[in-house]
Amino acid sequence: LYGDWQARFDPAPPGLPPTATLRLHRHAEFSESLAGTVQRQVSGAAGSHAAEAALAGDLEDGVLILDESSDRISITGTWNGEAVPGSCGKAYRGIWTDTSRSAVPDAPGVSFTLTRLPS
């Protein structure tokens, strides 16, 4: 999972663009975990979401679980996905959930697809 990934949302999350770029690497403190960033092209007010947010999480039993933090303190989004069958681990599909303070209460998650970018 280490490297760069493109995320496509369907539909785009409210107030955010339909794509984002994730950069994942080994977590500095927890060697079995992931860390990284998510970058979005945001203009104007994007609620509680920054153009670049921190990511941390794990791949457990084939399930990718990432927490996103725009302020590096509170969780502003969650990513939960699984490898796309036949993709050899180069694509994941799942649900992104806005957990920021600007999120609509009980808003449904947004479908995403992560695709490995060439290195």
Side-chain angles (χ1 to χ4, degrees):
L1 284 172
Y2 304 145
D4 295 336
W5 296 80
Q6 181 178 51
R8 290 198 168 277
F9 298 95
D10 185 28
L16 294 173
T19 62
T21 302
L22 282 69
R23 176 166 283 164
L24 298 174
H25 54 84
R26 182 183 306 268
H27 195 287
E29 294 178 51
F30 307 104
S31 63
E32 297 298 315
S33 295
L34 299 164
T37 58
V38 56
Q39 296 179 332
R40 295 181 176 92
Q41 297 290 329
V42 295
S43 59
S48 298
H49 295 283
E52 181 174 290
L55 294 171
D58 295 290
L59 181 65
E60 296 178 6
D61 298 323
V63 177
L64 177 64
I65 302 166
L66 296 171
D67 290 334
E68 174 181 333
S69 178
S70 291
D71 62 7
R72 299 189 183 271
I73 297 169
S74 58
I75 296 173
T76 53
T78 60
W79 301 72
N80 294 294
E82 295 185 27
V84 173
S87 72
C88 297
K90 294 183 180 180
Y92 284 79
R93 280 197 194 109
I95 300 293
W96 179 82
T97 304
D98 188 348
T99 60
S100 70
R101 65 182 178 273
S102 63
V104 176
D106 299 321
V110 177
S111 296
F112 72 82
T113 300
L114 286 179
T115 306
R116 178 77 175 217
L117 293 172
S119 47

